[in-house]
Amino acid sequence: MSGPVGLYIAHFPLRPNQFFISNVSGLTDENGRKRSCARVLGVERRFYSRRRRNSKVKMGRRILNDALRTIVNAEKRGFASAELKPVSDVIANFLQIMKYRGYIKDFQVHDPHRVGKISVELLGRINDCRALTYRQDIKAATLEDYKTRTLPTRQWGYVVITTPNGVLDHEEAQRQNVGGQVLGYFY
């Protein structure tokens, strides 16, 4: 593919039928207007490094953290419901624990086999909830110490742990005497 003199084609991989022409003064689209690389290609500006893109655990926890932050922001603004995208089994299990403990009213998963969404009905009880983006292994014996360090008071709040028996809160994990990895907490 040859272009006019003084212009050249991009030297990085593009999708089929996508290219842009660049010159020394900047990028131009098909109409000759100056544009950024993302705008010419028609893709979003966010690019991830290869390490972050291939890390399944980290990406799953980022999705969980984004969903929990959406819930907290909706609670602070006084909304009665929140929509979470994309759908994940981990998010559904986390929300099931929150529903069982009385922190949310109900939630529904819409179209779970595609991108989908989760509709959450809020009660106004959530002060904060976060997901740990790093992997924190915890034993059954040290679960009580971790809970007192993480939660603001002993009276309310739960630490959510993924165990061999499924996703559990800290009280249920202590009853079953199992440890695992900390997913996050809410209070």
Side-chain angles (χ1 to χ4, degrees):
M1 183 182 261
S2 64
V5 178
L7 302 173
Y8 61 91
I9 303 298
H11 294 288
F12 52 88
L14 301 173
R15 293 188 189 117
N17 301 327
Q18 286 186 333
F19 66 94
F20 71 92
I21 299 172
S22 175
N23 59 18
V24 178
S25 63
L27 301 176
T28 57
D29 62 2
E30 63 274 0
N31 297 327
R33 293 177 291 186
K34 290 184 180 179
R35 297 288 184 203
S36 68
C37 175
R39 214 178 252 183
V40 172
L41 293 176
V43 297
E44 61 181 83
R45 289 178 176 265
R46 218 181 323 174
F47 293 99
Y48 298 103
S49 67
R50 183 169 292 163
R51 172 188 274 168
R52 193 181 308 164
R53 186 174 47 221
N54 292 336
S55 175
K56 291 180 182 176
V57 172
K58 209 155 200 176
M59 186 55 86
R61 294 192 183 208
R62 287 178 194 273
I63 291 172
L64 177 62
N65 197 27
D66 289 344
L68 295 179
R69 298 317 300 164
T70 302
I71 290 173
V72 169
N73 290 339
E75 286 271 0
K76 286 182 180 177
R77 296 189 70 189
F79 292 159
S81 65
E83 282 192 3
L84 311 176
K85 295 179 185 179
V87 174
S88 168
D89 289 337
V90 176
I91 295 173
N93 291 337
F94 202 101
L95 292 174
Q96 187 66 38
I97 292 172
M98 292 175 81
K99 179 182 174 184
Y100 178 72
R101 296 299 179 179
Y103 280 80
I104 60 173
K105 186 175 182 180
D106 195 18
F107 71 95
Q108 292 210 336
V109 180
H110 304 283
D111 201 13
H113 300 293
R114 296 179 147 221
V115 175
K117 66 179 179 178
I118 300 177
S119 299
V120 181
E121 295 178 33
L122 304 173
L123 289 175
R125 275 195 70 193
I126 300 172
N127 293 322
D128 194 16
C129 56
R130 292 183 187 267
L132 286 138
T133 54
Y134 56 91
R135 197 166 92 190
Q136 176 74 42
D137 295 328
I138 192 163
K139 296 178 182 176
T142 61
L143 196 54
E144 185 67 31
D145 295 335
Y146 185 82
K147 180 193 75 119
T148 56
R149 276 186 284 126
T150 306
L151 299 175
T153 177
R154 292 175 183 259
Q155 297 170 348
W156 35 271
Y158 296 92
V159 176
V160 180
I161 304 159
T162 178
T163 67
N165 299 347
V167 178
L168 306 172
D169 58 33
H170 70 272
E171 289 181 357
E172 190 65 32
Q174 284 176 335
R175 263 188 238 114
Q176 296 181 11
N177 196 26
V178 293
Q181 292 181 356
V182 178
L183 282 178
Y185 59 89
F186 61 92
Y187 57 87

